[in-house]
Amino acid sequence: MNPDAQTLWKAPRWALAILLAVLGMLGPFSIDTYIPAFSGIARSIGATPVEMQQTLSAYLFGFAFMNLFHGALSDSFGRRPVVLWGLAVFTIASLGCALSQTIGQLVLFRALQGLSTGAGIVVSRAVIRDMFPPAEAQKVMAQVTIYFGVAPAIAPIVGGLLFVHAGWHAIFWFLVAVGMVLFVANYKLLPETLHVTQRQPFNARHLMRGYWDLCSDPRFLLLALASGVPFNGMFLYVLSAPAFLGDHLGLAPTQFFWFFLLTIGGIMAGAWASGRMAGKVAPKRQIRDGFVIMLVTSAANVVANALFEPHPLWSMWPIAVFAFGWALMVPVITLLVLDLHPERRGMASSLQAVIGSTANGLVAGLIAPLVMHSPLGLAVTSILMMAVGLVAWVWLHRRWPEIGQKVASY
């Protein structure tokens, strides 16, 4: 924690949470706005559904790759420069997407978007731990998750309306405007939270030693798997939204927002509950409760899809409840990850994001195209994604039972 934290931000805590949430939401917002326009983009530029899916994969793999460096750069040069450069590159990439005329151009600029948006997610986590002690940090992390949920709920509505009334290029012009507004806001408001005495030297040897320390720590790897992979049990449905919502549930693009509204509502409710538990409930109990909710909901979803035809009245609710369980436990796991190696919080945040986003990319590019045309296939794949995280957490819990045992202090 920065020893000067009290003097860096004098506005209310929730105001900083909003600023960091807006940074963190940029990545998901870049996905959710253009998903309702998938079929229209494909028709406009002559792309196949598989080629359109690669625009997601390129984004997610670019996100995963650059996340190897966002945190390390912020540990060496400060949080603020990394955020500002990331927002500048995102704005340029969005401009490229808006001007794209072929699927190749769109994939290229989507990859560039992915390379840049991770800066907000990675650095915002490190900023929280720079500024607050453990229990306060959990509350702020939960607040960030709540505010973060508002934008993805709005994004498909905005994307659907822009697509219907102005064409798909307007979606990316909108993202250009978002990037510019965020750059100005962070340039004026975001303080530098990394104390000069806590900066790490930036050189190849030091960087590789840091990666080795983290990647050779099984506690770190298991915690990162426990938080990152289960997210795909929910994200799979987001990636498959055109098929799941349009083909299976018969919804129009302008009606997709109902799915996102329910899912993000689940995330916000889970994050709110997580914040209420901060300093009162042991982290491992909170994590256990989150996995129990995800497991029961996923199993019920598989059974329902095996017995009944999918219908809008019931098919979207399991994903929302799953999202609640995930959001209940992920702020806690994230803080456990950051506190394993306090001197390398930026790098730890980077590698945690890399593991999660690599899984996201594999799901987007390989798994989602295989199962998106079967409601039962989606449900089974979702529970398998959750199971990977559950196994990782159970393994960690048995090998290092002391992790997450103490209630976070203020």
Side-chain angles (χ1 to χ4, degrees), residues 103 120 132 140 155 172 177 206 239 243 254 295 314 317 326 359 364 396-397:
I103 186 63
F132 302 101
V140 176
F172 292 105
H206 180 79
L239 295 169
T254 52
L295 177 61
W314 68 263
W317 285 100
W326 177 80
L396 179 82
H397 175 64

Side-chain angles (χ1 to χ4, degrees), residues 375-393:
L376 181 59
L378 286 169
V380 171
T381 305
S382 177
I383 196 172
L384 290 176
M385 293 293 170
M386 185 280 306
V388 172
L390 179 59
V391 170
W393 172 249

Side-chain angles (χ1 to χ4, degrees), residues 332-370:
V332 183
I333 293 184
T334 299
L335 290 174
L336 292 177
V337 167
L338 296 179
D339 286 344
L340 281 176
H341 297 269
E343 73 285 358
R344 300 185 189 275
R345 286 198 175 105
M347 186 178 288
S349 182
S350 277
L351 286 177
Q352 182 190 25
V354 166
I355 291 172
S357 56
T358 300
N360 296 348
L362 291 172
V363 171
L366 298 176
I367 299 175
L370 294 176

Side-chain angles (χ1 to χ4, degrees), residues 172-259:
F172 292 105
W173 283 114
F174 173 73
L175 291 178
V176 171
V178 170
M180 294 174 65
V181 170
L182 290 183
F183 181 90
V184 172
N186 282 274
Y187 181 81
K188 291 186 174 182
L189 300 175
L190 183 68
E192 178 52 66
T193 63
L194 182 66
H195 197 269
V196 291
T197 61
Q198 297 171 336
R199 298 194 178 193
Q200 301 291 319
F202 188 80
N203 58 64
R205 179 177 297 179
H206 180 79
L207 192 65
M208 295 309 296
R209 184 168 63 249
Y211 286 139
W212 174 257
D213 289 344
L214 291 172
C215 292
S216 61
D217 186 346
R219 301 171 302 167
F220 170 82
L221 295 176
L222 291 171
L223 283 170
L225 288 173
S227 64
V229 180
F231 172 77
N232 286 281
M234 167 183 59
F235 192 49
L236 173 69
Y237 282 91
V238 175
L239 295 169
S240 306
F244 175 62
L245 301 175
D247 299 339
H248 302 315
L249 301 186
L251 299 178
T254 52
Q255 296 175 310
F256 283 13
F257 78 93
W258 287 111
F259 167 74

Side-chain angles (χ1 to χ4, degrees), residues 16 44 82 103 110 156 167 314 398 402:
L16 179 59
S44 174
V82 175
I103 186 63
R110 285 290 291 166
W314 68 263
R398 291 185 176 180
E402 70 280 1

Side-chain angles (χ1 to χ4, degrees), residues 61-128:
F61 280 119
F63 180 90
F65 171 78
M66 194 58 198
N67 274 346
L68 286 170
F69 305 100
H70 287 312
L73 289 169
S74 76
D75 282 341
S76 297
F77 302 109
R79 315 302 188 200
R80 181 180 160 88
V82 175
V83 168
L84 294 178
W85 274 105
L87 289 172
V89 173
F90 171 81
T91 303
I92 295 170
S94 298
L95 179 63
C97 291
L99 297 174
S100 293
Q101 299 297 321
T102 67
I103 186 63
Q105 292 172 355
L106 187 59
V107 169
L108 172 64
F109 286 110
R110 285 290 291 166
L112 187 59
Q113 276 188 326
L115 289 170
S116 61
T117 53
I121 296 173
V122 168
V123 177
S124 63
R125 293 172 180 169
V127 168
I128 291 173

